[in-house]
Each structure stands twice: as C-alpha cells, then as structure tokens.
Amino acid sequence: MLNSDCVIIGAGQSGLYAAHLLNKRGISYIVLEREQIGQVWHNRWKSMRLFTSRQFCGLPGLPFPGDPNGFPTANEMGDYLKAFAHTFKVSTRENSEVVSLTKEQDRFIVTLKDGDRLSTKSVINATGSNQVPHIPSISTGLSDDVLQLDGTLQSLTLVPEGSRVVVVGDGATGRQIAGGLASVCKVTLSTGKSRGLPPGTILGKDIFWWLNKIGILVADKRSVVAKILQRRNPVPCGNFNNRNLKKMGVRIVGKAQDCSGQTVFFEQGESADADVVIWSTGYRDHTDWLKLPHCINEAGFIEEYGITPEPGLFVLGRKWLSCRASELVMGLPKDAEYVISAVEKHLKTSINPEKLVVKK
C-alpha cells in the first residue's frame, strides 16, 4: 500500500497547481487522474472555446501560450495542463479512477478501480463539481426516435446535418453548441430565467479584465456584491448573445417544461419538433466513491472555503468556493494557497486533530 502525506484526486488545473504548492512546501503527495492529464478538455468538440482570454488561463510560473487577448480552444487548455505537469514535474498517476474513500483511525484509505489501495494523512478532492451532466426528468417523455445528447458531446458532427435540433440550456456551452450547429441544422435554443449576457470583450479588453480590475471577481462570497452576482448569474457569451444567434437563424424560446414523443414544449405555449435534443442543463457532483456520508448533501460535497467536516479532507476548484473567480483558473491561486495552508496545519496537528484551526 502506497503511503503519502496527501492524495489529490483529479489532475485538472486545481489538482496540478495544488500539487505544485505541496511540492514547494516539501509535503509528499500523489495526484490521481481518472483518464490522462488534459483528457477532459481534449474530449470536447474542437471548435469549443473558453470564455476567458489566454491572459487569464495560465497558472503562476507558466504563462498560457499564444495571443493573450485571444480565447483558447478546449484542446489548447488540455495541452497547457500537460505542459504544466511536465514543467513542474508533478507526480501523477494516470488512468487511476478512485472508487472508494474511507477513513480508518487517522488515515484515509483510497481504493482505485484496479484494486490498488493508498493510505494517506490528507486528501484534496480537485475533481470539480461538474462531473455528471444533469438531465431533466422531462427527457423521459421523448420517443426513441429522438437522439439525445448532452453538453459534453465530443463533436458537433454527431448531429446529422439537416436535423431539427433543440438545445436546452443557455449557458456558455449551450449557446456555443446552438451557434455551431446553426449553419447546418434548424436550431431552437431553450433558455431559462432571464439573466445578463455580457459580451466577451468591452472596449477591446476581456470582460474579466474589467471585472477583476474593479474587484468583483474576488469579492468574498458572503459580500453584498457577490450575493447580487449569484442572484443575477450573468454568463459571458462571447458572440453568442440572443441577437447574434437570431441572425444565425437560431430560434430563441423560453424554459422547456415538458416532452412528448418528438415534441418539446416550452413556457408561453410554444413548442418545437425535434430529431435531436441536446441537454446543456448543468452538471452535478459525483460522490458515489466518498464513503463519508457526513461530508455529502444533496448538492454534493459539504465544504466551507474548501474545508469539509472531516479533518484532513479538503476540496478545491469549485464554483463560489470563496468568490466568483473560484471556478476559473484566475481565481485558483488564492484558493489553493488557503487550502494548502490548511493541509499543512492538519499534517502538523494530525496527532491531535482538535488543534486544527484554520482562520479565513
């Protein structure tokens, strides 16, 4: 059984950067990755782009290559993560899916799909909360004649040309899918409640440059500004705002309320017949492997600024972990420094866990 001070689950940007910080502090670790580093990004369709420009996609110590004002593709992000792991010699074990996490006395036991077990004093879950696509229950009303996909689709060519397509969900991914299919399919985009759709750039600068400049992105999640932002839930949409999508020929309708046969019904009495329905309706946490029920609720991991109820178990890289920027690469360094400090304190006090005090 492999022993280490810390096991990090997930080799995305959060897991790799946390490993880099642990290494700098002389703490032994191993990063476990279910697939290969960057694979989750390479699995997305080729033309998919991030809505933050390259200047905000790099981690400290390794700038993101290319035009800093341009918006990288998903493939570029996958390549960058590989480069980061290589540059900083991050100790990673790929193709190692975690199927169980338990705790025996003061040590966690991590069991992998291949049967291997690891013993560790601390664990950082860096898989993110966007693990499993959320598919609404109304999808069961569609007939077998309708091809159903979700926002993780690997290629837009999976949708036959000339299809009648309904994209449900108007977040960044849903809007890109609708725009990407508009030239070859008859596309309807189902939106949710009204929210802000800011452009990707304002006066030639990335909107995140402006938001960062005025402090909104890093405002604490309990601040008034952050609560307003959470309530309004704006989503940068690049060139895929309603006006541009309509110019592309996309029909914009309201919330999807029901499905029957090949028809999707929307609010205000509208409907659309479909050959293909793409559910881009968010994700949910995957916690089946976590055998510590006091750390889970209906929303997923229970945590406060990355600290879970179980001493030694931490979380990193989640929406609103501490602020709006927490789910972005640009917000990671601040959260990671805080969580790694908590890990270090836990390791120093693990003999007497009650001594662990982490102040925000």
Side-chain angles (χ1 to χ4, degrees):
M1 183 181 293
L2 176 66
N3 290 279
S4 67
D5 287 333
C6 186
V7 167
I8 300 172
I9 303 173
Q13 60 268 21
S14 299
L16 294 176
Y17 189 64
H20 178 50
L21 294 183
L22 288 174
N23 194 43
K24 289 173 67 175
R25 299 188 188 202
I27 298 172
S28 65
Y29 73 90
I30 181 73
V31 182
L32 302 176
E33 169 54 40
R34 180 178 56 185
E35 299 178 303
Q36 295 183 335
I37 298 172
Q39 190 65 46
V40 68
W41 291 102
H42 288 301
N43 285 343
R44 308 305 292 272
W45 76 92
K46 290 183 180 179
S47 58
M48 178 184 177
R49 288 187 179 275
L50 280 68
F51 279 114
T52 47
S53 56
R54 292 184 182 89
Q55 63 188 300
F56 297 123
C57 293
L59 292 165
L62 186 66
F64 202 98
D67 176 9
N69 295 312
F71 293 84
T73 64
N75 271 336
E76 285 181 75
M77 192 67 205
D79 291 341
Y80 174 81
L81 293 180
K82 287 182 181 178
F84 186 90
H86 177 75
T87 300
F88 295 105
K89 297 178 172 56
V90 177
S91 179
T92 306
R93 178 169 167 172
E94 297 178 312
N95 302 311
S96 297
E97 181 179 353
V98 174
V99 296
S100 173
L101 176 65
T102 59
K103 196 169 188 183
E104 298 177 4
Q105 297 182 336
D106 64 339
R107 296 190 71 87
F108 293 94
I109 305 299
V110 184
T111 304
L112 305 181
K113 191 174 183 178
D114 62 8
D116 280 0
R117 303 177 78 206
L118 296 80
S119 174
T120 182
K121 298 175 183 175
S122 63
V123 174
I124 300 173
N125 177 43
T127 58
S129 54
N130 295 340
Q131 292 296 303
V132 183
H134 168 69
I135 309 298
S137 58
I138 61 173
S139 63
T140 59
L142 290 170
S143 75
D144 293 340
D145 294 327
V146 178
L147 173 63
Q148 296 192 55
L149 302 169
D150 61 60
T152 65
L153 79 171
Q154 296 186 10
S155 172
L156 296 183
T157 60
L158 294 172
V159 179
E161 289 190 15
S163 298
R164 297 167 298 175
V165 180
V166 173
V167 180
V168 182
D170 69 332
T173 300
R175 288 178 173 275
Q176 283 199 67
I177 292 173
L181 291 173
S183 64
V184 293
C185 294
K186 181 180 179 182
V187 181
T188 299
L189 175 66
S190 171
T191 63
K193 63 181 181 182
S194 178
R195 59 182 177 181
L197 299 171
T201 58
I202 296 176
L203 299 177
K205 289 188 177 296
D206 186 343
I207 187 172
F208 286 99
W209 184 90
W210 295 100
L211 295 175
N212 190 48
K213 203 71 175 175
I214 57 180
I216 288 179
L217 285 178
V218 295
D220 187 271
K221 63 181 179 181
R222 292 175 176 162
S223 67
V224 173
V225 170
K227 288 180 178 178
I228 293 173
L229 206 58
Q230 291 177 51
R231 188 167 59 249
R232 294 184 177 177
N233 193 26
V235 53
C237 58
N239 294 321
F240 301 105
N241 59 26
N242 287 357
R243 185 179 61 181
N244 287 341
L245 285 174
K246 287 178 181 177
K247 286 181 180 178
M248 298 177 192
V250 175
R251 177 190 175 201
I252 309 289
V253 297
K255 183 178 180 180
Q257 295 184 318
D258 200 5
C259 299
S260 180
Q262 287 191 270
T263 305
V264 183
F265 298 92
F266 312 101
E267 58 187 0
Q268 298 184 339
E270 295 187 284
S271 64
D273 293 333
D275 304 304
V276 181
V277 173
I278 302 175
W279 302 101
S280 184
T281 39
Y283 300 85
R284 61 179 175 82
D285 222 338
H286 175 54
T287 56
D288 293 351
W289 51 273
L290 182 61
K291 309 304 180 185
L292 301 169
H294 59 290
C295 296
I296 310 170
N297 62 17
E298 64 281 356
F301 269 82
I302 299 172
E303 57 81 21
E304 191 64 26
Y305 295 99
I307 312 296
T308 77
E310 180 60 45
L313 176 61
F314 306 91
V315 176
L316 189 59
R318 286 171 176 256
K319 193 173 185 179
W320 289 107
L321 192 83
S322 70
C323 61
R324 172 63 181 86
S326 288
E327 67 173 343
L328 307 173
V329 175
M330 63 190 299
L332 175 58
K334 173 190 169 190
D335 287 348
E337 290 283 356
Y338 177 73
V339 168
I340 296 305
S341 292
V343 171
E344 191 171 43
K345 288 182 180 179
H346 170 77
L347 294 174
K348 289 178 178 176
T349 59
S350 57
I351 297 177
N352 296 301
E354 65 274 12
K355 291 182 178 179
L356 175 63
V357 177
V358 180
K359 296 181 178 179
K360 180 62 187 175

